[in-house]
Amino acid sequence: MDQPSGRSFMQVLCEKYSPENFPYRRGPGMGVHVPATPQGSPMKDRLNLPSVLVLNSCGITCAGDEKEIAAFCAHVSELDLSDNKLEDWHEVSKIVSNVPQLEFLNLSSNPLNLSVLERTCAGSFSGVRKLVLNNSKASWETVHTILQELPDLEELFLCLNDYETVSCPSICCPSLKLLHITDNNLQHWTEIRKLGVMFPSLDTLVLANNHLNAIEEPDDSLARLFPNLRSISLHKAGLQSWEDIDKLNSFPKLEEVRLLGIPLLQPYTTEERRKLVIARLPSVSKLNGSVVTDGEREDSERFFIRYYVDVPQEEVPFRYHELVTKYGKLEPLAEVDLRPQSSAKVEVHFNDQVEEMTIRLDQTVAELKKQLKTLVQLPTSNMLLYYFDHEAPFGPEEMKYSSRALHSFGIRDGDKIFVESKTK
């Protein structure tokens, strides 16, 4: 059988990991190994291969000499073949079957949809625990074949594959713990629930950028479908109802949720979004990548009560009543303006005259004297000022320092300024 045209895996391997391009280095953690056999390729003694091989975007179309692959790659545990030109599963099988320690395989952005994956080929993947098929347009039939032949598969990446539906096989895959299926077009819950049937041990489900429109499932059914789900990402889902958020409480082990970019939360402020979601999800300990502390949870739950305190009873969520039982019915917080006062209305006393005027508190004592110059008919150099706080038990305070700002005296409406002449 003729070799497909293009560059082979073995050819690219020899080029990339030759001493000129990948110098031999010793030291802990380098993972460098040079297989030694009496009869081998002349290249064997010249290649320095790590246990993690990255051969992405190299134009690979075929495997090359399988004996050479076996001789060089006996120790390799991770292999990145993304963004190549592999379109025949048989060629992939020739590579993988000669890498016996392989646990991680990335085949993203290879046109593998152009061939059919037979079970005999898929059998060569049996030791793989993490498989990446992003943007490979792998059909569900291909995925089912892989699941049948990979008994230890723990992580599967199926992003950017244009899936609009999910095809459920006759058997499930109990080993899978993590599924990334982002950037597809899975809009209806009827498709997502099939993933729970397929992967009953699923710990992490990443559904970002799928525009899921609702979670339409009875609570008890959700618990049975995803009994082990600990983390879910619904980033940029199409959820528009708080009932969908409440449904997440039905996953018995859920601890982590990502909910950025959903239509439901767009009308709210950043603070409102986070607090209202935290209050509705009492078991979630991490939201959008940030840990929810005990203090933040209590603040959020109290915020939730106050947020709904004036809402008509028929529109109040059930969670409100649970939290009122916990904290009591809380009144809205008083609005306090913490901004510094910019001006004050004071009484200016000079001789027997009293004049009420508004002064700016961002000005200095010297600037205030200039403002008073016309009123009291004194030059600023001959002017003494005293500040009297109408609520303080002490007497007037001399305003000695010309450069001191008025706000530092704590001047408020109703206070008094006394003006005297130095020659008095």
Side-chain angles (χ1 to χ4, degrees):
M1 183 176 175
D2 294 335
Q3 287 264 71
S5 59
R7 306 180 78 201
S8 73
F9 171 83
M10 202 57 226
Q11 178 186 353
V12 170
L13 194 69
C14 291
E15 290 175 3
K16 180 166 183 177
Y17 291 98
S18 66
E20 292 79 14
N21 296 327
F22 192 80
Y24 185 89
R25 286 184 276 178
R26 296 182 183 275
M30 295 305 298
V32 177
H33 175 77
V34 181
T37 56
Q39 300 130 351
S41 161
M43 290 294 293
K44 187 168 288 127
D45 296 330
R46 297 187 58 238
L47 290 186
N48 307 313
L49 294 184
S51 60
V52 177
L53 296 184
V54 180
L55 298 173
N56 62 308
S57 306
C58 293
I60 297 172
T61 59
C62 59
D65 191 311
E66 291 185 64
K67 291 182 179 178
E68 292 290 311
I69 297 173
F72 285 116
C73 299
H75 64 296
V76 171
S77 60
E78 298 188 18
L79 180 57
D80 182 354
L81 292 173
S82 61
D83 201 24
N84 279 291
K85 298 179 180 179
L86 290 161
E87 59 182 51
D88 189 337
W89 282 104
H90 285 92
E91 294 301 317
V92 178
S93 178
K94 289 176 187 178
I95 297 170
V96 175
S97 61
N98 289 292
V99 188
Q101 304 299 318
L102 191 64
E103 294 189 350
F104 172 89
L105 177 61
N106 187 352
L107 293 171
S108 297
S109 300
N110 280 281
L112 289 164
N113 59 312
L114 300 177
S115 67
V116 175
L117 175 60
E118 299 168 359
R119 290 192 63 176
T120 51
C121 283
S124 62
F125 295 71
S126 60
V128 172
R129 294 178 180 273
K130 301 177 182 180
L131 180 62
V132 186
L133 294 174
N134 297 340
N135 196 34
S136 64
K137 312 307 181 213
S139 67
W140 282 110
E141 289 71 25
T142 294
V143 173
H144 297 166
T145 302
I146 288 170
L147 296 177
Q148 286 180 304
E149 299 300 322
L150 276 65
D152 299 320
L153 186 65
E154 296 177 358
E155 299 183 9
L156 180 61
F157 294 74
L158 297 173
C159 311
L160 295 161
N161 282 335
D162 298 334
Y163 297 139
E164 295 184 1
T165 60
V166 174
S167 174
C168 202
S170 55
I171 60 171
C172 65
C173 178
S175 63
L176 199 75
K177 298 290 190 292
L178 180 148
L179 176 65
H180 274 254
I181 192 164
T182 68
D183 296 280
N184 284 287
N185 195 28
L186 302 173
Q187 299 183 36
H188 303 294
W189 179 255
T190 50
E191 305 306 321
I192 307 303
R193 73 183 315 278
K194 297 174 188 176
L195 300 176
V197 175
M198 291 169 66
F199 308 116
S201 302
L202 206 60
D203 170 276
T204 301
L205 176 59
V206 185
L207 285 167
N209 300 331
N210 269 287
H211 311 295
L212 176 66
N213 54 24
I215 300 177
E216 299 165 326
E217 190 83 33
D219 294 350
D220 56 345
S221 178
L222 277 178
R224 290 195 302 271
L225 278 171
F226 295 95
N228 298 294
L229 193 66
R230 186 193 57 80
S231 174
I232 188 169
S233 172
L234 294 166
H235 176 65
K236 289 195 176 178
L239 302 180
Q240 301 185 52
S241 167
W242 281 112
E243 284 72 20
D244 293 319
I245 308 303
D246 294 336
K247 287 281 186 182
L248 300 177
N249 289 310
S250 301
F251 300 129
K253 295 186 179 179
L254 192 67
E255 298 176 356
E256 181 175 353
V257 174
R258 289 181 180 270
L259 282 170
L260 293 171
I262 66 174
L264 168 67
L265 299 178
Q266 294 311 306
Y268 299 90
T269 66
T270 301
E271 179 190 23
E272 288 172 341
R273 290 172 195 169
R274 185 167 177 86
K275 287 186 173 180
L276 293 176
V277 171
I278 289 173
R280 285 180 180 264
L281 301 176
S283 298
V284 169
S285 56
K286 187 180 282 189
L287 176 64
N288 298 330
S290 298
V291 172
V292 178
T293 64
D294 292 341
E296 184 182 21
R297 177 163 300 285
E298 181 173 342
D299 287 346
S300 298
E301 290 175 345
R302 288 178 175 275
F303 176 88
F304 190 89
I305 293 173
R306 292 187 172 100
Y307 189 87
Y308 285 101
V309 71
D310 293 325
V311 172
Q313 276 296 312
E314 62 273 14
E315 297 177 21
V316 171
F318 179 73
R319 181 63 176 154
Y320 171 83
H321 302 292
E322 292 180 332
L323 292 175
V324 167
T325 301
K326 182 176 180 180
Y327 297 105
K329 191 171 183 179
L330 308 176
E331 294 301 322
L333 292 174
E335 292 188 13
V336 179
D337 188 352
L338 298 177
R339 292 174 298 179
Q341 194 171 338
S342 60
S343 64
K345 187 177 289 187
V346 298
E347 290 182 0
V348 178
H349 291 252
F350 177 64
N351 293 333
D352 296 327
Q353 301 177 35
V354 178
E355 188 78 28
E356 192 176 78
M357 64 185 300
T358 299
I359 60 173
R360 286 188 4 257
L361 299 180
D362 61 348
Q363 64 183 332
T364 64
V365 171
E367 290 170 329
L368 176 60
K369 286 182 177 181
K370 290 180 182 177
Q371 185 179 351
L372 297 173
K373 182 179 177 181
T374 304
L375 176 67
V376 300
Q377 296 295 309
L378 285 174
T380 56
S381 60
N382 199 30
M383 202 181 294
L384 294 176
L385 300 185
Y386 296 88
Y387 162 61
F388 180 73
D389 181 348
H390 69 285
E391 293 184 357
F394 312 107
E397 175 185 357
E398 184 176 354
M399 304 171 81
K400 292 181 181 179
Y401 304 105
S402 297
S403 61
R404 183 175 173 181
L406 298 188
H407 62 72
S408 67
F409 290 93
I411 299 174
R412 291 167 294 177
D413 291 340
D415 289 348
K416 300 174 182 179
I417 304 288
F418 291 89
V419 184
E420 293 185 1
S421 170
K422 288 182 180 180
T423 59
K424 183 177 177 182

